[in-house]
Amino acid sequence: MSLPASPPSPAARPPVPWQVVVPFPVPALDYAAPYGYGGAVPVGCRVLVPWRGELTAALVVGAGEERGAHRLREAVHVLDHEEGPWVPPATVQAVTAWARDARLPAGLVWCDLLGVGWSVQLDHRVRAVSGADLSAFARHVPTSHWTDAAGFAPALLDAIREQGLLEETFRPLPRMQSVVRARPLAAVPAATRTVTVLRALPDPPALTAKGRMAWAWLAQHGPQDSLSAWARGAGVSTGVVTNVLNAGGAQYVQEEAPPPPAWCWLTERGPVDSLRAWASGAAADGVSLSPTLAATLVARGWADMLPEPAPPPPLPEPAPAWTTEGPDRLPEAPIWRLHGGRPATRLRTLAPRVARLLTQGRGVLVLAPDHATLRRAWAGLSGLAAGVGTRAVQLSGALSDVQREHAWHLIRAGEARLVIGSYLALTAPLPDPALVVVLEEGSDAYKLPAGSRAFIPDVAARVAAAHEAALALVGSTPAVESVPLPGAVLPPPRARVHVVDYAHPPEQPELGPLSSVHLTPGDLGYPISHDLARLLRQVQERGRQAALLAPRRGYSALLRCPSCEHTPHCRNCDVPLRFHQETRQLTCHQCGYHQSVPDRCDACGERMWQARGPGTEWIAAEVAKLTPGLPIYRCDRDRQDDLSPLAAGESGVVVGTQLLLAQDAPPNLALIGVTLADTWLNISDFRASERYHRLLRQLAEWHPERAPLIVVQTFQADHPALKVLLEGRDVLAYPAAEERARKALGYPPHARLAQVEVAARDPQKAKIAAQEIFDVLHGAGATAGEVLGPAPSPVARLRGVYPYHLLLRARDDARLAQLLSTLDRRWPARVRVDVNPRGGL
């Protein structure tokens, strides 16, 4: 529906141009307001604009430049009312400002963050302006009568539109569905409802003995549908019954047939959404029906396939309604944090604040980084909404497009004031939001892997500030950036931890060559230590459950020749190929390249290979040797076994990557093994130890009630992130120490970072371009501490290109934006900016 248009007076000032974003990686574009539009700039509303010869849905993000406005194309139609924009104007301004500061195309950012509304179903009709002759454009053109626009090429309509010779109307189309509905019996065609049968006539003429017998049988048993059926029933030949018919002893008559059983079933149970659903439903109730026969019944007029408005799609059911009686002891601050405890404890502590705000008629938005956290938040908080007279909705990629759009309309209409979802919920039209909750704010899952590479907590902070809403950071352990904020720390769950120190194995006595006893380092066992093996056997003996966390998927990180130490590498990336034993393939986990395992070493011809760096397949195979007969399950990206037996309490071991934590903990979990903890530390990232600490805390709270024994196999048993867990300290202890170290080094939260990646297929070209950027930054006033690099990427070649990195380190967002503004020019290599980078630098 378009905005009400008021024709401007001749002396009126022309409307201010609109700045809109289209769902493509391009900057915001300026368009003139639609002809006759006289209102304010409809920030947050969707509009239809001409884009590359077609009409495309776009989002108005602000006012454009008035200079040169007379040369702009006009927007064609406004899809939303100004009173109810598709996205709240405050959210639009916050997200667009973040994109501008990050030097990212606004269209790229909005394409990532707005997951609803780009596709619109409309009845689009066109006609020529009165008196216009369009014959010069094409042979088949719009006339003076309204015509469906689908009958013309979009490029043709755009050419006519650009000349101002086209009138257009738009009407939103409801979502339709096709259903199979039984016709009333009276509406079934008479020819379908009647059948031709043979009926005996009274006072038969003179007949033979067999003919009289056939006549008597027909008179007694009723009409028959054919001569052959009559003959079979009477026990005579078809010639006898034919003679009776010809002699006048019987005749064909039209009678109303009984309705088919399938029609009766559809009348009682219908309508259904397809012929297949009709057939399967009827067959389940004992009525013989196939999809082909169902189609025949439709063709004969017993039923119709009709389009009708589709009902609203089902949405995830909220938890049972409940009210919280506990006091609200959380801070009253613009930004605050809540960490520690178990997930259920944190949500119960958060619930009084959420319930109070919902009772006041305010909105609450809860963001989760992954499906597991979203599932727990939905179970713990969604039941609060019904108790205060509103509704909770979920908004995430797990829903279909239709479900997300329905949830969006419920939020926009004010029917739902509690929104729990993924990053796609960040731009939801929540009325009067008072609180934005970011769960597990330090999770790397918030980092979009492609496109804008936005880190969602950063954008959420901008959105909360624009709405003057509080921002709450809630999770198992605070991110180091959250440490200076006011907040509450709950007591950590009890953790039982056993460390296998590979760097300092215990010494054991051994007889020397002269029968003297001396001490030598003992063998701890690898990749399953002797301690972990003994505990796994106990798990099997006692019928309990265990989970082993492997550092990678596949069988091993690489294969190495034992003679010359040659390692097969990816042909596109400078990384070793991972070995997958199940498929007997060597695979690159960066670009996807794969090949069969070579029969012999390419360098020396050796026929043997040695595997290095255990993965899930290797660990699972070792566990199977140690505990024969114990069910072994895997959970990684390559294979996700059915874990329902574990969920039912049966004994077993599940081996997986961190994907394990996306599942609910098995109910009888007694043992968690981290097979090589150092993998999380051996990364060129200053956040590696923080990530390791978070993993250990999440393992400690994984089971909602128990405290399973956590066995950590490591070469760094004295690492502070592990020691705070061993000593039973709270979840703030390690992040606080890390925050002090970063303050001394000038890293977040005491600085803002951006990574500039310069890549080209020629390594020398990439190196020269990176050095040129370095020189330009220093020429613009950057100091030595603000620009680190350039340096080759830790992976020197990735997907066929050679990346070089520069790290920008600024005191605040404003200074970082100043540094990034110097990059707004063309470079001889591909340049990408990643604000607040996560992962390897």
Side-chain angles (χ1 to χ4, degrees):
M1 186 179 295
S2 62
L3 292 170
S6 55
S9 62
R13 185 180 181 183
V16 175
W18 298 350
Q19 197 171 64
V20 307
V21 292
V22 292
F24 302 104
V26 295
L29 308 170
D30 283 354
Y31 280 85
Y35 176 76
Y37 181 85
V41 177
V43 175
C45 293
R46 295 170 302 158
V47 294
L48 292 178
V49 298
W51 169 255
R52 295 186 175 178
E54 296 185 356
L55 286 182
T56 300
L59 183 73
V60 181
V61 296
E65 291 287 339
E66 295 191 48
R67 184 176 55 186
H70 62 283
R71 296 192 300 267
L72 297 176
R73 292 291 303 272
E74 288 183 354
V76 176
H77 180 69
V78 181
L79 294 169
D80 305 304
H81 283 296
E82 188 178 4
E83 296 80 9
W86 192 252
V87 180
T91 301
V92 171
Q93 295 164 5
V95 173
T96 305
W98 180 88
R100 182 173 57 250
D101 291 345
R103 319 308 295 183
L104 292 171
L108 180 66
V109 175
W110 278 105
C111 187
D112 282 345
L113 299 185
L114 183 59
V116 182
W118 296 115
S119 178
V120 186
Q121 299 297 322
L122 296 169
D123 177 21
H124 179 197
R125 297 190 173 273
V126 297
R127 71 178 180 185
V129 171
S130 178
D133 180 9
L134 305 183
S135 59
F137 289 93
R139 180 175 300 176
H140 177 57
V141 294
T143 64
S144 58
H145 302 287
W146 289 111
T147 311
D148 189 352
F152 306 97
L156 171 65
L157 294 180
D158 192 54
I160 301 173
R161 181 186 299 117
E162 190 171 10
Q163 298 303 317
L165 301 177
L166 190 68
E167 293 184 9
E168 305 176 77
T169 63
F170 300 86
R171 181 176 61 87
L173 292 176
R175 190 171 64 88
M176 305 295 289
Q177 67 175 7
S178 179
V179 298
V180 183
R181 186 185 298 276
R183 285 187 181 181
L185 192 59
V188 178
T192 300
R193 288 186 286 112
T194 58
V195 64
T196 302
V197 296
L198 285 160
R199 182 179 291 280
L201 294 175
D203 301 327
L207 300 172
T208 64
K210 287 187 176 180
R212 180 167 291 280
M213 182 178 67
W215 175 88
W217 186 91
L218 183 62
Q220 179 182 356
H221 291 88
Q224 297 296 306
D225 58 0
S226 66
L227 289 172
S228 59
W230 180 12
R232 283 195 304 271
V236 298
S237 68
T238 56
V240 172
V241 297
T242 302
N243 290 335
V244 174
L245 176 66
N246 293 336
Q251 67 176 4
Y252 284 106
V253 296
Q254 296 284 334
E255 290 189 354
E256 187 165 331
W263 176 87
C264 298
W265 183 92
L266 186 62
T267 302
E268 296 174 0
R269 307 291 183 84
V272 294
D273 58 4
S274 66
L275 296 176
R276 186 174 297 277
W278 183 11
S280 61
D285 290 341
V287 179
S288 178
L289 184 66
S290 67
T292 303
L293 182 55
T296 303
L297 292 175
V298 170
R300 295 185 60 194
W302 287 104
D304 292 309
M305 295 189 67
L306 302 170
E308 63 179 33
L315 296 177
E317 288 292 329
W322 66 286
T323 56
T324 176
E325 304 294 337
D328 180 5
R329 294 192 175 94
L330 296 173
E332 297 286 351
I335 306 178
W336 49 271
R337 55 177 170 78
L338 169 64
H339 296 91
R342 296 186 186 274
T345 307
R346 291 194 294 272
L347 294 175
R348 283 196 300 268
T349 306
L350 179 64
R353 174 65 56 87
V354 173
R356 175 165 65 87
L357 295 174
L358 293 177
T359 304
Q360 296 171 357
R362 310 290 300 278
V364 175
L365 172 63
V366 181
L367 300 177
D370 50 57
H371 292 306
T373 308
L374 175 58
R375 185 173 63 248
R376 288 192 288 265
W378 182 255
L381 295 176
S382 61
L384 290 170
V388 295
T390 186
R391 182 172 177 173
V393 296
Q394 193 177 123
L395 200 59
S396 72
L399 305 182
S400 67
D401 292 341
V402 174
Q403 288 176 309
R404 285 199 298 271
E405 186 167 354
H406 178 51
W408 198 273
H409 284 297
L410 292 176
I411 301 168
R412 190 165 170 240
E415 297 180 29
R417 288 188 281 109
L418 175 57
V419 180
I420 303 174
S422 67
Y423 72 93
L424 294 176
L426 181 58
T427 55
L430 190 63
D432 192 17
L435 178 64
V436 177
V437 180
V438 178
L439 300 175
E440 304 295 346
E441 77 278 7
S443 172
D444 291 334
Y446 276 125
K447 186 71 172 179
L448 300 189
S452 64
R453 300 185 184 182
F455 186 59
I456 299 303
D458 290 346
V459 189
R462 294 282 191 105
V463 171
H467 286 278
E468 298 183 353
L471 178 67
L473 308 175
V474 180
S476 57
T477 182
V480 174
E481 289 85 347
S482 308
V483 169
L485 302 173
V489 177
L490 303 176
R494 184 172 67 95
R496 299 188 300 135
V497 183
H498 174 71
V499 178
V500 177
D501 187 0
Y502 281 129
H504 301 92
E507 295 182 330
Q508 59 187 15
E510 183 178 297
L511 290 177
L514 301 178
S515 299
S516 61
V517 177
H518 63 280
L519 298 177
T520 61
D523 176 24
L524 294 178
Y526 184 81
I528 303 292
S529 65
H530 299 321
D531 290 352
L532 184 55
R534 184 173 62 254
L535 291 167
L536 286 170
R537 293 190 185 98
Q538 291 180 9
V539 166
Q540 183 179 23
E541 293 167 0
R542 300 175 185 179
R544 305 295 288 278
Q545 298 170 327
L548 300 184
L549 197 64
R552 61 186 62 85
R553 58 190 172 99
Y555 187 84
S556 64
L558 53 88
L559 291 182
R560 177 174 293 166
C561 174
S563 298
C564 67
E565 297 192 347
H566 168 71
T567 299
H569 274 62
C570 175
R571 68 181 183 185
N572 303 316
C573 312
D574 282 345
V575 294
L577 292 171
R578 304 283 178 92
F579 175 46
H580 291 252
Q581 189 176 55
E582 285 188 349
T583 59
R584 301 297 298 176
Q585 293 277 315
L586 294 173
T587 303
C588 175
H589 288 185
Q590 298 292 331
C591 69
Y593 168 77
H594 58 88
Q595 67 178 51
S596 300
V597 178
D599 294 333
R600 60 181 65 216
C601 175
D602 294 337
C604 69
E606 171 68 50
R607 291 181 177 271
M608 297 293 292
W609 293 102
Q610 288 183 345
R612 291 287 186 269
T616 51
E617 294 180 17
W618 187 344
I619 300 296
E622 291 294 322
V623 175
K625 294 176 186 176
L626 291 168
T627 57
L630 183 66
I632 310 296
Y633 305 90
R634 274 188 36 212
C635 182
D636 55 38
R637 191 184 301 177
D638 296 332
R639 178 172 141 188
Q640 298 182 32
D641 292 336
D642 179 14
L643 302 182
S644 57
L646 289 179
E650 297 181 15
S651 179
V653 177
V654 56
V655 180
T657 58
Q658 273 188 260
L659 189 63
L660 262 179
L661 295 178
Q663 310 290 329
D664 291 330
N668 294 325
L669 184 66
L671 173 66
I672 299 175
V674 184
T675 56
L676 189 58
D678 306 84
T679 308
W680 282 268
L681 294 171
N682 298 335
I683 302 173
S684 59
D685 182 8
F686 68 92
R687 292 190 177 93
S689 59
E690 177 190 358
R691 193 176 294 113
Y692 176 48
H693 176 251
R694 182 177 300 108
L695 171 67
L696 294 175
R697 293 291 185 180
Q698 289 174 341
L699 290 174
E701 67 173 28
W702 187 28
H703 197 286
E705 298 171 356
R706 294 173 179 257
L709 179 64
I710 302 174
V711 177
V712 181
Q713 301 182 165
T714 179
F715 286 90
Q716 303 181 54
D718 57 348
H719 195 282
L722 179 58
K723 290 181 68 176
V724 295
L725 197 68
L726 289 168
E727 296 168 359
R729 302 177 66 183
D730 65 38
V731 298
L732 189 60
Y734 180 76
E738 185 74 4
E739 186 267 339
R740 291 190 293 271
R742 291 191 194 176
K743 183 176 182 180
L745 297 173
Y747 275 84
H750 303 286
R752 291 288 291 162
L753 299 182
Q755 179 179 273
V756 181
E757 180 184 274
V758 186
R761 294 195 175 274
D762 180 359
Q764 192 64 23
K765 183 178 179 180
K767 182 178 180 180
I768 293 173
Q771 185 61 45
E772 185 178 346
I773 291 176
F774 176 85
D775 294 338
V776 168
L777 286 167
H778 279 276
T783 64
E786 290 180 324
V787 183
L788 306 181
S793 167
V795 179
R797 182 168 57 103
L798 190 64
R799 298 180 182 88
V801 300
Y802 294 84
Y804 274 73
H805 291 166
L806 294 97
L807 187 65
L808 305 187
R809 185 171 58 180
R811 60 183 179 273
D812 52 31
D813 287 331
R815 178 55 180 163
L816 184 62
Q818 289 178 357
L819 294 175
L820 292 175
S821 65
T822 63
L823 305 180
D824 291 343
R825 50 172 287 188
R826 296 185 65 87
W827 301 98
R830 187 191 70 190
V831 177
R832 289 180 176 174
V833 175
D834 184 5
V835 176
N836 197 355
R838 317 287 290 191
L841 298 178

